[in-house]
Amino acid sequence: MSAGEAGAARTAAEREEFVRTRTAPEPVPLCPELRLHTATALTPLWHATADELARWDASPFWAFPWAGGQALARHLLDHPELVRGRAAFDFASGSGLVAIAAARAGAARVVACDHDPFAAAAIRLNAALAGVAVAVREVDALDDPLDGFELVLAGDVFYERALAERSLRWFRALARRGARVLCGDPGRNYSPPRGLRALAEYDVPTTLEIEERAVLRTRVLEVLP
């Protein structure tokens, strides 16, 4: 059974219980004012074998605060004028960190989008931890015109060629129709070499369990039309 099939076979409440019992609320290293349900050395998800994870979620991206998301979340928290009063859409939201930061910074409306049903469960739990309102969409939003959203956010989406190329085309189309598109990127393999403007850089603490270095220099980028 694939991760998607396993997620679909369970109710939202069951998926939330899965996340709750296999993670622990932990401060986000670069955004300690926020906590996420995180896989740590003390949690069952961290110690799960590959075979065990295959029954549930072979790639639990929602269980960690990735470097790109941390940098983008920090930037929004430090510059609330970017998001205050705007409608924000967080693409490939994972844990929901960026969406939660946007809500905390004063966005009028926040939607977190991820096609993984376990990510959707994690987002709901993490938003509740933060005491903010974040709507969740369990869809593949690529190529959606996102009418009504003034700000589009994405952390760590340039790690696979197909996803990076398709995402960048979509981001540029959104920028052309007037949306502001911000990405967090620690220099993944398929980071675009041009067509983006660097807004800030952060040294993001991470873990060698999921990254090659304990600290990643990570940029916040704006996608240009």
Side-chain angles (χ1 to χ4, degrees):
M1 180 180 290
S2 69
E5 290 168 337
R10 287 164 175 78
T11 67
E14 288 172 332
R15 292 193 294 270
E16 289 181 17
E17 183 64 13
F18 174 89
V19 174
R20 188 184 293 109
T21 58
R22 288 163 175 81
T23 60
E26 293 286 333
V28 176
L30 198 65
C31 309
E33 61 267 55
L34 300 177
R35 293 188 302 154
L36 299 176
H37 283 82
T38 305
T40 74
L42 299 177
T43 62
L45 186 62
W46 186 275
H47 294 287
T49 67
D51 286 343
E52 288 173 328
L53 283 177
R55 297 202 308 268
W56 306 102
D57 187 354
S59 301
F61 295 114
W62 49 266
F64 304 97
W66 297 87
Q70 288 196 58
L72 184 51
R74 181 74 268 162
H75 195 67
L76 297 178
L77 292 168
D78 290 345
H79 299 278
E81 69 279 2
L82 293 172
V83 68
R84 187 183 296 119
R86 292 180 168 86
F89 188 93
D90 181 28
F91 171 65
S93 190
S95 67
L97 171 59
V98 174
I100 290 164
R104 180 69 67 86
R109 179 168 69 105
V110 181
V111 171
C113 176
D114 201 298
H115 62 78
D116 183 344
F118 287 102
I123 294 164
R124 286 189 285 265
L125 290 172
N126 291 330
L129 269 180
V132 296
V134 173
V136 181
R137 290 187 187 175
E138 294 179 43
V139 298
D140 178 357
L142 279 166
D143 300 323
D144 188 315
L146 297 184
D147 293 330
F149 289 97
E150 302 148 281
L151 186 65
V152 179
L153 307 166
D156 276 311
V157 297
F158 300 133
Y159 57 90
E160 292 178 350
R161 183 188 297 275
L163 176 63
E165 292 176 351
R166 189 178 171 200
S167 296
L168 188 59
R169 286 195 299 270
W170 179 50
F171 292 159
R172 285 179 174 152
L174 292 170
R176 284 194 294 272
R177 69 97 170 139
R180 193 167 194 190
V181 184
L182 305 182
C183 304
D185 180 56
R188 299 294 185 198
N189 288 342
Y190 301 104
S191 300
R194 61 186 66 85
L196 299 98
R197 180 167 66 99
L199 301 181
E201 292 189 2
Y202 299 88
D203 288 320
V204 182
T206 182
T207 170
L208 293 176
E209 297 294 333
I210 62 172
E211 298 284 9
E212 295 181 350
R213 296 186 298 279
V215 176
L216 290 180
R217 189 68 170 171
T218 303
R219 295 186 299 167
V220 174
L221 304 170
E222 180 172 7
V223 178
L224 304 176

